[in-house]
Structure formats: C-alpha cells, structure tokens
C-alpha cells in the first residue's frame, strides 16, 4: 500500500483506524464490503442520499469494494491541512483538494457520467432529498430555476465548471 | 511468576513497587516451594475474594512494557481517536447547517430556494457515519486502552517482549488450568443445588415457611454462582433496593446481569420459556417462587404480557419484577432505547445501573458470535468479572407524561449514574433494519428548509427542539415488552 498511501496522504494511525472500521463492517469476513454492509449502518440508512453515497464507493458495475477502494474514497474527505499547500507543487493533485471534493459531489448528481447534470438527474436528487413532501410541479420549478441560474452556456444542463461556480459561496474548509 | 509473588508479599507488608518486574529470577532451589505456594494460594482464591490489586499490578506492568517497546520502535501505541479522517463538529440541526452552507442571514423564506451545494450536508453526514457511527459499535466488545493479558482483547497483535509473552503464557496456564476447572465445579454445584433444593422446598405445605426458605435457597445458590464466576460486585445505595409491588429496570449487557442482581435480593424474573437445561432451571424456580415465563407464542401478545405483569405487581406479597427494557445485550458503553411496555403498567419503577469494569474480563455477550455455553466458558476463563451496581431512587410516572417520556427519563437517570452514553437508537438494530420512518423525517426537515415554514409553524416548533436524531424519540415504533 506504500505508493498509494503517499498519494492519499493518510497517516499510519488513520489507516489503522480505517482498517479496524473496515473489518468491523465486514460481517462476512471475506475482505470486501458489499452494499448490505453499508446499509447496516443506521445513520447512513436514514440519510436521504445514502444510496448514492454508497454507490460512490463501488467501481463501475462491481458489487464489492476492497480496503484500498474504501480508503481511496474516504481520503477525499480528509480535512485540508495548511502545511500541504507548500509541498511539492509538481505532484499530482491530492485526492482531498477542493476540486476533487467538488467532483465527488458532482458525481452524486451525474449518474450516467456524461459530465453534465441534466434536468432529470437534478430532479432525481431533489426527489431523494425531499421525499413526498413537495409536489412535482414545485419541484420541477425549483429544478428549472436552478438550471437557469447556473447554466452559462445555454445547453440546459450543468457542466462541472458551472457547478464549481454555483458552489462558489461555500467555504469547503469548514464544511468538508 | 516471581513477579506475582513479590507483589503479593509486598502487599502484605504494605509497600508496592512501581514497576516491579525488574526483579531477578530466584535460584531454582527456591522455585518449587514458591510454585506450590502459588498453586495453593490460587486454589483458595475462589473461596476468598480475588486479590484484585495483583491483577492490576500485572496489567500496569504490561502496559508500561508495551509503552516502552513502542517508544523504542518509535511507533504510536494508542490509536488517537480524535485524529480521524473527518474533523467531526458538534451536532446542530439540519436547518442550521444548511443555513451555514448558504451563508444567508434570513432564516425564514416564503419562496422555495434550492442551492446545488445543499447536497454537501447529506454527503458529509453520510461519510461521517461510514467512518464512525454511534450504533454499530455498541454491538461488539469494547476496546481497552491497555492490554489485560487476554488474547481475546488483543486487537493489534505485536510481539513486544519475551517477558510479556511468558507472562501471557503463564496467565493462560493459570486461567485455563487452575481457575477454569474450579469455577466450573462451583457452577455445576450451584445449579444442581438450585434444582434440588427448590424442588424440595416446593413440597412444604406451609406457604410462609415455603417463601422464607425459597428466598434463602435462591440467595444461597446465586451466591455460589457469583463465586463460580469470580464476580466482584460493589453495591451502592442499598437503601433504594427494589420493594414488593414494583418493577426493577436495569441496563442489559449479559445474561449474568440476572445473577448479579439476584445475588443481593430476590426478584421475579420475566422471560421466554426455553428448552434444555435453561428450561429445567426455569421450571424448578417456578415451583417455589413466582416467576413469569412466557410461551414463545404469547410474547407477541402485548396485552397478555401487560396483564400478567400488572397482576403480579398488584399482589404486594410477590417479589419485584426484574425487567431489561432494552430487549437485547448492549456492550455496556451506552444505554439504548427502552421499550415502553413495562412503563405503561403504572407502578413504581426502581432503576438500577450496572457498570462492568472491562479490564478484568469483558462481560458483554455478543450473541451473534458466541453461543451461551462458549460465552460462559469465556467468562469463567477471564481474570474476574468486576462490576458496580447502583440502586437509583424509585421513580413514578408524572402527570402529563406518557410511557415513552417516562422511559426516556428513567434511561437518562441510569445512563447518568453508570457513566454510559444515552442513545435513542433501538437495540433491535443489532439484527433488524432501521425503519423508513426516520428517513422520511429527514426528508421532511429538508423540504421545510426548501419550502419555508409558512404552513407548518406548530410542527416546526416541535421538530426544532433537537437535532434531527432527536426527532426520532417522538416516533416510537418499538414493540412493548
């Protein structure tokens, strides 16, 4: 794991902590986690976007995630430390940089991976977040207005750059 | 071996070495008599209370060795709990967090407003719960800060020193070779006596004499069982001991809880009818004193259960009922949701808090991993079972309080006394999936943020009282006892 550790920038103790968490979630004791293992966490099961977040751990078309994949996805969320900014500028961007965090969130919307959030995809996520409490028409108008505000090139969908601009108000340091 | 002794002898003279195992080995000629003394003194141990300070000495020594070893190799020994992947912030309500996200000052809106970045709130909560959540860790044994020389509590196996391995090997010898056989003998004696004597007492014609004798018999047999487990129990506030016509509620960690409480007073037990040895014990106990055993089919019928409990409680000559409202074993770091069934009966509730010290042997029964027999064997091969029992002042349901609120109040009192975390999650989540109701609550809260609070002022006030998790206590999907 040496090489990928350097890329993930996780400390030794963080890795051991994650590993013991991985093994405690792995009820089948076969070294991989399935979707059911994640669903067993009550706080995740009640999260409206729980299923999408779980999906983010699994590579395309697969049903099992091993420890490396588990670590890789979680490394996105390590808080950015100031002393990293002065490190080697030619190294590839660390996983938990702001851009990569935004990309993670973008992919929660963009299910078909065409690098665009269409109106349907936006509606799907909205419906997951509000459940049955808001009518279709209201939800539709919310989606339309959001696309209108964020879409700058007029293709009626939100690209990654437009997404970054729309999330500009956030201070990701405090949030993620 | 020598270390064990020097500690014992020094205890008698009143002094204690700080780190005593740098003592040299004695010459071989002296070893044999010392060894015999060790065996004989250990044989006496189950009959007198175990000298705990010896064990503490050894654990301290072991911890010190591990720390020194880790320092030598420049490694971190203790996993720093605060150095997580995500810096977790204290919980605030969904509304507050989303407002922070948007950086807006105006909290009430009439027009629905959605920001694409709202997703980050759910994202973050989700990933936080993947890294560490409050519920799943309650269903496995607690991790210890220092090793207590039991393989079962050694999570990060690393060879530190030869001396430690030797000591561990010696520990195995003592525990499995000496302590375990003695304890098993005692346990078997205790159970046999219970079966025989309760049956004998049942034949007596005089009811008063019968109840008096059955009390004595029960107490004696439970005391033998306690010795069999080498349970060292400290009872606090005995003046609050449960009285007839009440219900005693306690937090549940292990089936041994029953033995620990029954050691100090007589209770009527409630439970399902089992087969095999347990069934025999149950039938024998019922002959001389009144217990409430349910058939498997009757358990589902809440009214029947409530009626039988109510009838028992109404009869002031009968002993207090012992109930574990959590419904399942939790690992003694927290108290989970109390089922409201026993709190609906309307009698006095006597709360009891039980806290085990995990250093000498973890008492938690992980029923998905171990059956009853292997669990008991593990208990009898630990060093000892050390616990504290606090009897809390009796509580009654107050005016305008419903069963759920009363149950939560009792739970909070028990958690506060025992130093346990007070959770509202249901212990049944050990096996069952969480109900969709809670997800719908989250969705409802979020849609309020979007649409605004114009229509639902009343509901909003109720749901704003706590964190999103706090809302779940108002919905009680739990089954009655």
């Amino acid at each position: 794991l040496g090489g990928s550790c350097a890329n993930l920038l996780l400390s030794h103790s963080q890795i051991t902590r994650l590993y013991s968490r991985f093994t405690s979630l792995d009820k089948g004791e076969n070294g991989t986690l399935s979707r059911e293992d994640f669903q067993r966490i009550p706080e995740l099961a009640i999260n409206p976007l729980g299923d999408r977040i779980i999906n983010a751990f699994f590579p395309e078309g697969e049903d099992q995630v091993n420890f490396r994949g588990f670590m890789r996805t979680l490394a996105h969320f390590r808080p950015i430390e100031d002393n990293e900014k002065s490190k080697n500028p030619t190294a590839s961007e660390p996983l938990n940089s702001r851009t990569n965090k935004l990309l993670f969130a973008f992919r929660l919307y963009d299910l078909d991976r065409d690098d665009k959030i269409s109106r349907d995809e936006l509606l799907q996520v909205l419906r997951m977040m509000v459940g049955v409490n808001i009518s279709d028409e209201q939800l539709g108008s919310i989606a339309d207005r959001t696309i209108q505000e964020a879409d700058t090139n007029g293709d009626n969908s939100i690209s990654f750059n437009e997404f970054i601009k729309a999330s500009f108000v956030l201070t990701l340091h405090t949030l993620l | 071996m020598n270390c064990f002794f020097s500690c014992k002898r020094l205890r008698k003279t009143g002094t204690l070495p700080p780190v005593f195992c740098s003592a040299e080995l004695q010459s071989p000629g002296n070893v044999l008599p010392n060894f015999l003394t060790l065996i004989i003194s250990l044989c006496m141990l189950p009959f007198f209370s175990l000298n705990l300070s010896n064990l503490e000495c050894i654990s301290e020594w072991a911890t010190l060795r591990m720390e020194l070893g880790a320092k030598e190799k420049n490694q971190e020994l203790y996993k720093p709990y605060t150095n997580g992947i995500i810096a977790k912030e204290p919980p605030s309500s969904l509304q507050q967090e989303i407002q922070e996200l948007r950086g807006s000052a105006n909290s009430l809106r009439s027009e629905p407003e959605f920001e694409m970045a709202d997703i980050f709130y759910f994202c973050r909560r989700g990933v936080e719960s993947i890294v560490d959540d409050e519920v799943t860790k309650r269903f496995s044994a607690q991790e210890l800060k220092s090793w207590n020389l039991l393989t079962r509590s050694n999570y990060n196996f690393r060879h530190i020193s030869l001396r430690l391995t030797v000591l561990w090997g010696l520990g195995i010898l003592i525990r499995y070779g000496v302590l375990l056989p003695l304890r098993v003998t005692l346990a078997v004696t205790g159970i046999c006596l219970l079966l025989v004597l309760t049956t004998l007492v049942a034949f007596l014609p005089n009811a008063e004499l019968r109840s008096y004798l059955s009390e004595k018999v029960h107490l004696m047999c439970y005391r033998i069982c306690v010795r069999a487990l080498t349970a060292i129990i400290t009872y606090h506030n005995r003046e609050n001991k449960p009285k007839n016509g009440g219900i005693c509620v306690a937090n549940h960690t292990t089936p041994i809880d029953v033995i620990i409480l029954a050691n100090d007073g007589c209770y009527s037990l409630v439970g399902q009818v089992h087969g095999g040895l347990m069934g025999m014990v149950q039938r024998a106990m019922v002959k001389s004193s009144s217990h409430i055993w349910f058939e498997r089919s009757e358990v589902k019928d809440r009214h029947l259960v409530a009626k039988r409990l109510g009838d028992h409680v109404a009869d002031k000559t009968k002993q207090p009922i012992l109930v574990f409202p959590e419904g399942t074993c939790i690992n003694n770091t927290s108290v989970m949701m109390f089922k409201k069934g026993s709190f609906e009966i309307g009698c006095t509730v006597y709360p009891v808090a039980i806290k085990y010290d995990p250093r000498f042997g973890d008492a938690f029964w992980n029923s998905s991993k171990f059956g009853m027999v292997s669990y008991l064997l593990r208990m009898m091969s630990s060093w000892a079972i050390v616990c504290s029992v606090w009897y809390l002042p009796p509580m009654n349901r107050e005016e305008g309080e419903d069963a759920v609120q009363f149950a939560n109040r009792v739970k909070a009192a028990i958690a506060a006394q025992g130093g346990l975390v007070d959770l509202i999650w249901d212990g049944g989540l050990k096996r069952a999936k969480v109900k969709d109701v809670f997800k719908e609550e989250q969705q409802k809260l979020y849609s309020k943020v979007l649409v605004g609070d114009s229509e639902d002022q009343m509901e909003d006030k109720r749901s704003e009282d706590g964190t999103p998790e706090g809302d779940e206590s108002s919905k009680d999907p739990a089954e009655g006892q």
Side-chain angles (χ1 to χ4, degrees):
Chain A
L1 283 176
S4 47
C5 282
N7 214 11
L8 298 176
L9 290 178
L10 291 173
S11 73
H12 179 78
S13 60
Q14 286 171 338
I15 295 178
T16 22
R17 198 86 204 113
L18 279 183
Y19 186 68
S20 59
R21 177 65 173 166
F22 182 86
T23 38
S24 71
L25 287 175
D26 181 15
K27 290 281 187 287
E29 287 181 10
N30 50 2
T32 58
L33 293 180
S34 67
R35 288 191 168 82
E36 287 77 38
D37 291 322
F38 283 100
Q39 292 280 0
R40 224 175 276 121
I41 304 174
E43 288 166 27
L44 187 62
I46 66 168
N47 191 318
L49 294 179
D51 288 329
R52 289 280 172 107
I53 297 173
I54 293 174
N55 266 331
F57 280 84
F58 292 85
E60 207 55 51
E62 288 190 24
D63 285 330
Q64 304 283 336
V65 58
N66 60 10
F67 182 56
R68 180 173 295 191
F70 183 70
M71 262 205 308
R72 208 176 161 71
T73 316
L74 284 182
H76 283 292
F77 291 89
R78 196 172 62 86
I80 301 171
E81 270 141 56
D82 289 322
N83 58 6
E84 284 164 22
K85 295 197 179 130
S86 53
K87 281 195 183 142
N88 190 357
T90 60
S92 65
E93 202 167 345
L95 267 183
N96 68 337
S97 72
R98 170 180 281 174
T99 324
N100 278 322
K101 280 178 171 137
L102 283 166
L103 189 61
F104 184 86
F106 185 78
R107 293 227 173 100
L108 287 186
Y109 281 107
D110 184 21
L111 262 191
D112 56 5
R113 298 290 169 98
D114 62 353
D115 289 329
K116 285 202 290 260
I117 303 178
S118 67
R119 184 179 184 270
D120 277 333
E121 286 169 344
L122 185 57
L123 265 180
Q124 266 180 26
V125 173
L126 273 174
R127 184 51 76 193
M128 282 175 88
M129 290 202 282
V130 304
V132 297
N133 297 295
I134 296 185
S135 64
D136 280 333
E137 304 90 54
Q138 240 185 346
L139 217 59
S141 63
I142 294 177
D144 287 328
R145 198 175 40 245
T146 314
I147 295 187
Q148 238 179 1
E149 286 173 2
D151 191 14
T152 49
N153 65 352
D155 61 352
N156 221 21
S157 62
I158 305 178
S159 72
F160 186 48
N161 285 321
E162 290 162 356
F163 182 70
I164 294 179
K165 283 205 209 83
S167 319
F168 186 66
V169 288
L170 290 180
T171 47
L172 286 178
H173 286 283
T174 55
L175 190 66
L176 293 169
Chain B
M1 181 172 26
N2 180 43
C3 325
F4 189 74
F5 273 130
S6 50
C7 192
K8 235 178 145 147
R9 275 191 229 120
L10 285 167
R11 167 130 359 276
K12 292 195 176 112
T13 62
T15 58
L16 199 70
V19 179
F20 59 85
C21 216
S22 40
E24 308 76 49
L25 272 177
Q26 289 180 332
S27 62
N30 286 335
V31 170
L32 188 57
N34 280 334
F35 191 71
L36 281 176
T37 324
L38 168 65
I39 293 291
I40 292 171
S41 52
L42 282 174
C43 287
M44 310 292 254
L45 282 177
F47 298 94
F48 304 98
S49 26
L50 188 62
N51 195 341
L52 281 183
S53 338
N54 289 339
L55 294 175
E56 277 205 47
C57 284
I58 297 184
S59 322
E60 273 174 38
W61 175 85
T63 316
L64 242 93
R65 290 292 313 178
M66 286 175 90
E67 282 176 346
L68 283 173
K71 221 181 275 180
E72 281 163 30
K73 295 180 194 157
N74 223 6
Q75 280 169 350
E76 264 197 60
L77 187 61
Y78 298 119
K79 299 176 198 156
Y81 286 80
T82 52
N83 189 12
I85 294 291
I86 297 179
K88 195 162 182 172
E89 285 172 7
S92 49
S93 80
L94 185 148
Q95 265 229 349
Q96 282 172 357
E97 287 228 10
I98 302 239
Q99 294 309 328
E100 263 175 49
L101 251 180
R102 298 176 177 180
S104 99
N106 190 4
S107 56
L108 289 175
R109 288 182 182 281
S110 49
E111 272 215 27
E113 171 137 339
F114 170 70
E115 295 277 342
M116 295 215 68
D118 283 349
I119 196 179
F120 284 121
Y121 169 74
F122 292 111
C123 209
R124 182 196 160 124
R125 295 291 289 266
V127 178
E128 273 178 4
S129 63
I130 291 180
V131 172
D132 191 20
D133 78 303
E134 282 297 315
V135 184
T136 52
K137 66 185 181 195
R138 310 291 174 192
F139 302 130
S140 58
Q142 188 185 10
E143 271 186 52
L144 295 171
K145 286 204 200 93
S146 66
W147 191 36
N148 60 353
L149 294 182
L150 297 177
T151 324
R152 60 190 72 144
S153 35
N154 190 351
Y155 296 103
N156 236 352
F157 178 71
R158 217 176 351 197
H159 177 75
I160 300 283
S161 75
L162 186 60
R163 269 192 203 145
L164 194 61
T165 317
V166 165
L167 210 63
W168 169 74
L170 189 67
I172 293 226
L173 266 178
I174 296 177
R175 285 186 294 121
Y176 284 92
V178 179
L179 295 179
L180 183 62
L182 286 167
R183 287 173 178 164
V184 169
T185 324
L186 270 178
V188 167
T189 319
I191 295 181
C192 288
L193 271 178
L194 182 70
L195 288 174
V196 167
L197 287 177
T198 45
T199 322
L200 284 179
V201 167
F203 287 128
L204 289 176
N206 186 350
E208 243 187 66
L209 184 62
R210 200 166 61 213
S211 61
Y212 174 74
L213 273 184
S214 99
E215 235 187 80
K216 293 288 172 236
V217 161
H218 272 106
L219 277 176
M220 183 188 80
C221 294
Y222 281 121
R223 284 198 182 123
I224 298 182
C225 288
V226 160
R227 284 279 172 260
L229 290 167
T230 325
I232 292 123
I233 313 171
T234 321
Y235 295 99
H236 303 267
N237 305 336
R238 282 177 117 141
E239 65 272 9
N240 293 326
K241 238 165 78 161
K243 302 189 178 52
N244 286 0
I247 294 190
C248 175
V249 303
N251 57 318
H252 200 30
T253 306
T254 153
I256 293 177
D257 284 341
V258 173
I259 302 180
I260 289 187
L261 286 180
N263 184 38
D264 197 38
C266 285
Y267 298 95
S268 291
L269 306 175
V270 180
Q272 259 186 26
V273 170
H274 285 100
L277 179 64
M278 275 294 299
M280 269 171 68
V281 172
Q282 284 178 329
R283 285 191 293 275
M285 285 167 71
V286 151
K287 286 186 191 141
S288 51
S289 63
S290 56
H291 298 276
I292 306 177
W293 305 123
F294 288 104
E295 298 292 336
R296 200 167 281 269
S297 52
E298 289 174 336
V299 171
K300 293 276 160 47
D301 187 350
R302 284 170 56 181
H303 293 296
L304 182 66
V305 170
K307 185 168 184 316
R308 277 182 77 174
L309 289 178
D311 289 341
H312 186 109
V313 160
D315 186 349
K316 295 293 178 211
T317 62
K318 292 195 176 160
Q319 293 145 352
I321 306 181
L322 180 58
V323 158
F324 296 105
E326 280 167 318
T328 183
C329 293
I330 312 291
N331 77 344
N332 208 231
T333 55
S334 69
V335 183
M336 296 187 114
M337 187 179 85
F338 276 4
K339 303 204 191 306
K340 64 182 179 188
S342 20
F343 297 94
E344 281 172 333
I345 297 177
C347 58
T348 317
V349 167
Y350 296 90
V352 176
I354 309 177
K355 178 81 177 109
Y356 291 87
D357 187 342
R359 286 176 299 171
F360 295 98
D362 194 310
F364 168 62
W365 182 34
N366 192 341
S367 48
S368 46
K369 260 177 144 180
F370 308 110
M372 177 63 94
V373 177
S374 59
Y375 168 71
L376 284 176
L377 282 176
R378 282 166 72 96
M379 282 301 102
M380 293 199 218
S381 60
S382 318
W383 296 114
I385 306 212
V386 181
C387 60
S388 290
V389 175
W390 285 274
Y391 293 107
L392 297 167
M395 289 182 166
N396 278 297
R397 198 159 90 182
E398 283 168 8
E399 283 298 317
E401 206 181 30
D402 69 351
V404 173
Q405 290 166 334
F406 181 37
N408 286 336
R409 192 160 59 93
V410 173
K411 177 160 66 87
I414 293 182
Q417 179 63 271
L420 306 163
V421 176
D422 188 358
L423 293 177
I424 34 153
W425 294 97
D426 184 1
L429 291 172
K430 201 194 234 180
R431 304 223 163 79
K433 286 204 133 137
V434 70
K435 304 209 171 184
D436 285 331
V437 163
F438 300 122
K439 191 185 221 174
E440 286 157 19
E441 282 220 26
Q442 294 276 310
Q443 289 171 328
K444 201 170 191 169
L445 279 176
Y446 180 65
S447 42
K448 283 217 185 62
V449 172
L450 275 196
V451 179
D453 308 321
S454 39
E455 309 115 289
D456 307 304
Q457 292 282 355
M458 279 291 290
E459 258 193 50
D460 196 60
K461 280 202 175 48
R462 207 160 28 95
S463 59
E464 279 303 303
D465 281 338
T467 61
E469 280 92 10
D471 292 319
E472 284 133 34
S473 59
S474 55
K475 290 228 157 83
D476 180 32
E479 307 266 296
Q481 178 77 356

